Amino acid sequence: MEILKVENLRKEYGDGNNKVIALDGVDLEIERGEFVAIVGPSGSGKSTLLHIIGGVDSPNDGKVYIDGNDISQYSSKELAYFRRRKVGLIYQFYNLIPNLTVRHNIELPLKLDKREINEEELLNIVKKLGIENKLDSFPSELSGGQQQRVAIARSMVYSPSIILADEPTGNLDRKNSKEIIETFKYFNKTLKQTIIIITHDEEVALEASRIITIVDGKIVGDEINE
C-alpha cells in the first residue's frame, strides 16, 4: 500500500536568465515500510524533493499525497500540523535546541502539539539509540553521533508516517555513519517505519532496499537493491 505519491512535481527558483528548474515533472510512489535512498549530484533536486515531501517547501505545480492527503494544497498552518504529526525530519547538522536537555529536545514535538508523552515508548527509543543515560545532558555535551541519535529519537517519538533524512551521516565519521544506518534499518524492519534518505554516500545508499537517482530535476533511475 502506497504511503507517498508524487505527481508531475515541478519546482522553479528565480526567473528570466536566473531561473533554475529544481524539479522537472517528477512522478514517484513509495510503499509503506520501504527504506529508500535518493542519490544524485549536487544541485540535482534531491533535497528540494525531500523538503517538498516534508512540507518545508511548496511546489510550483504537481501534487504530493501522504496517506492519501494532498499536502500540496495545505495552508501554512496545516503544513505546520502536518510536519509535527506525519513526518520526522532529520538533517545533517542535527538542529537541536542548545539550551534544552536531550529529553526536552526529544519531547518538544509532542509538547508543541499538546500531546501526552508515552514514557515507555520514549525510553524504548532512546535505549535502542544508546542515549538513555544522556537524557539530562545538553547538546553541547554530546558527540556528533550522539546528537544525531537525539535528532532521530525526536523524529521517532510521535510515530510519524515517514522519516525523511537529508544527509544524516554527512557530518559523521565512518563508524558513527554505519551505526546510524544500522539504527534506521532496525526501525524499518522492526517497526515497519517508512524511511527516505538523501545521501551522497554510496555505502549508505547501498544499505537501502531501493535506490532512486535524480539528475537535473528528473528521476533517471529507480532500482530495487537486493
Side-chain angles (χ1 to χ4, degrees), residues 39-153:
V39 301
S42 295
S44 61
K46 56 188 185 298
S47 289
T48 300
L49 176 60
L50 195 80
H51 293 158
I52 291 176
I53 293 170
V56 177
D57 201 353
S58 299
N60 293 107
D61 197 11
K63 297 183 180 298
V64 179
Y65 296 94
I66 306 270
D67 277 338
N69 299 305
D70 182 8
I71 71 164
S72 55
Q73 302 300 314
Y74 281 7
S75 66
S76 297
K77 186 175 181 180
E78 288 171 327
L79 282 173
Y81 283 124
F82 163 77
R83 287 192 297 270
R84 291 206 299 265
R85 296 172 180 174
K86 290 293 185 180
V87 295
L89 288 161
I90 301 167
Y91 295 99
Q92 179 177 347
F93 295 105
Y94 327 129
N95 287 5
L96 303 179
I97 297 177
N99 61 340
L100 294 183
T101 64
V102 165
R103 173 184 286 277
H104 290 153
N105 265 284
I106 294 170
E107 293 174 346
L108 186 60
L110 294 173
K111 290 184 174 179
L112 288 172
D113 215 20
K114 297 180 172 59
R115 292 165 63 184
E116 287 191 17
I117 295 162
N118 185 322
E119 186 68 17
E120 181 180 358
E121 188 172 319
L122 187 151
L123 289 176
N124 284 339
I125 291 170
V126 297
K127 283 179 181 177
K128 175 55 191 172
L129 289 164
I131 53 173
E132 70 273 19
N133 63 341
K134 300 293 184 180
L135 290 177
D136 295 324
S137 300
F138 289 89
S140 62
E141 299 172 321
L142 306 180
S143 67
Q146 289 169 335
Q147 289 186 63
Q148 192 61 291
R149 287 172 174 81
V150 175
I152 294 171

